[in-house]
Each structure stands twice: as structure tokens, then as C-alpha cells.
Amino acid sequence: MTTANKRTSKSQNETEQGQAFDVEPLQPTRILAQDQVGGESNKLGIYKLADTVKTPVYGTKDSACFDIACHLDGVVEVKIFTPQNEKITRNVEVDVDGSRYILLRPFERMLIPTGLVLDIPDGYFVEINPRSSTPLKEGLTIANCTGIIDADYVEQLFAVGYNISQ
């Protein structure tokens, strides 16, 4: 990481959640301008907090946005908000194949960890939106419909998941 990063208030190589490292920046041609403005790059920096974090990818060559994934490795429990707005904790479960998951009951909400930290250029923001088919097929959406991540947010990226199904 360069000293020009906004994350320099923390250790150069570590975050509270684990070791951060540079990945090859995505080519965000559909997200941000690629030109130089005032000597600073307008590229989106993406850092993984662990080797097991999935790198965001474009689903198809014509995708407008890239897909991110939930990252539960090393997570023991998560905070859940019930339909009555009670804050509870729930353990992460492990399936027979070793995959980790969280049971999100009808109309519950939770912060879904991604294991990613974004370095968003000043003057830009990133949106988190559900894929159009996910609410229909899975009954899962983003609680606030669109998540806005400002350039000054430099902690782990979370999505606010909401189970809209029974």
C-alpha cells in the first residue's frame, strides 16, 4: 500500500480484521474514469483482508458492475436485527461440505461481511445493489435498496442483507 492511501492511519500492512494486501486493481471502466486528474488516479483500489476472500469479478463481459461475495472465514458469530428491531447474535454454521453460512430468518437483517476494504478516489462513491434476480429467486435483498459507500469509509465493506421471503 502506498503512503498516499487513506488507510495510513493504521499499520501499512495490517488492519483490525487481518492482513491487508494489494490485489491487482480491477479495471473499473464501467464504474470510474480511468484518466488522471490533478496527478491522482481515479482507479478503485480493492484490498483483501485474507487470502480466502473472493476477488470481485464481472459476471459476464458486458456486466455493468462486479459481483462481491460474503466472507465468513474466521467469523464465529454475527449481529442480526429481528423484525421487532431486537439486536441478537447468531453463530455461523458449518455445512457438511465445510461451507459456512448464517441462517437469516424471515424479515431479519444483518451486516454481511465481504472481507474487502475499498480505496475509493476522492469525489467518487461506490454503490451496492442486489442483482435483479436475487430478490426474486432467493428472497434476499439489500435492506436500504442501495448501499452508498463514501470515499472516506476505509473499513471492511459490509452489505446490509434483508430476507424478504417467508
Side-chain angles (χ1 to χ4, degrees):
M1 295 187 329
T2 66
T3 55
N5 260 323
K6 292 178 215 113
R7 277 176 295 293
T8 54
S9 61
K10 293 187 181 183
S11 164
Q12 285 271 246
N13 294 318
E14 295 193 16
T15 68
E16 295 168 5
Q17 303 273 330
Q19 186 171 354
F21 56 92
D22 290 328
V23 295
E24 196 62 36
L26 296 177
Q27 299 304 314
T29 55
R30 297 176 188 95
I31 301 168
L32 304 172
Q34 297 267 339
D35 60 323
Q36 297 284 325
V37 177
E40 293 186 27
S41 173
N42 287 338
K43 289 186 179 181
L44 175 65
I46 299 176
Y47 304 90
K48 294 179 175 185
L49 295 176
D51 291 337
T52 55
V53 173
K54 292 183 181 176
T55 301
V57 295
Y58 290 105
T60 66
K61 71 177 185 73
D62 292 327
S63 292
C65 303
F66 51 80
D67 298 336
I68 59 175
C70 177
H71 181 72
L72 294 175
D73 290 356
V75 178
V76 176
E77 60 184 25
V78 294
K79 300 274 188 269
I80 304 279
F81 291 84
T82 69
Q84 297 77 30
N85 288 326
E86 296 174 73
K87 186 176 175 182
I88 62 172
T89 57
R90 187 164 299 144
N91 290 335
V92 173
E93 304 289 332
V94 180
D95 209 343
V96 292
D97 66 357
S99 61
R100 300 169 64 80
Y101 68 93
I102 297 165
L103 177 64
L104 192 60
R105 295 188 174 105
F107 309 110
E108 288 183 334
R109 304 169 312 277
M110 71 169 280
L111 289 174
I112 302 171
T114 65
L116 299 170
V117 176
L118 303 180
D119 189 7
I120 304 167
D122 290 337
Y124 291 91
F125 65 92
V126 169
E127 288 185 11
I128 296 181
N129 296 294
R131 282 250 171 240
S132 59
S133 62
T134 303
L136 176 65
K137 294 178 181 176
E138 306 295 331
L140 184 66
T141 192
I142 303 297
N144 48 351
C145 299
T146 297
I148 301 294
I149 300 94
D150 295 312
D152 62 350
Y153 180 77
V154 292
E155 301 297 324
Q156 179 177 195
L157 177 65
F158 289 87
V160 184
Y162 179 47
N163 182 356
I164 58 174
S165 68
Q166 291 293 326

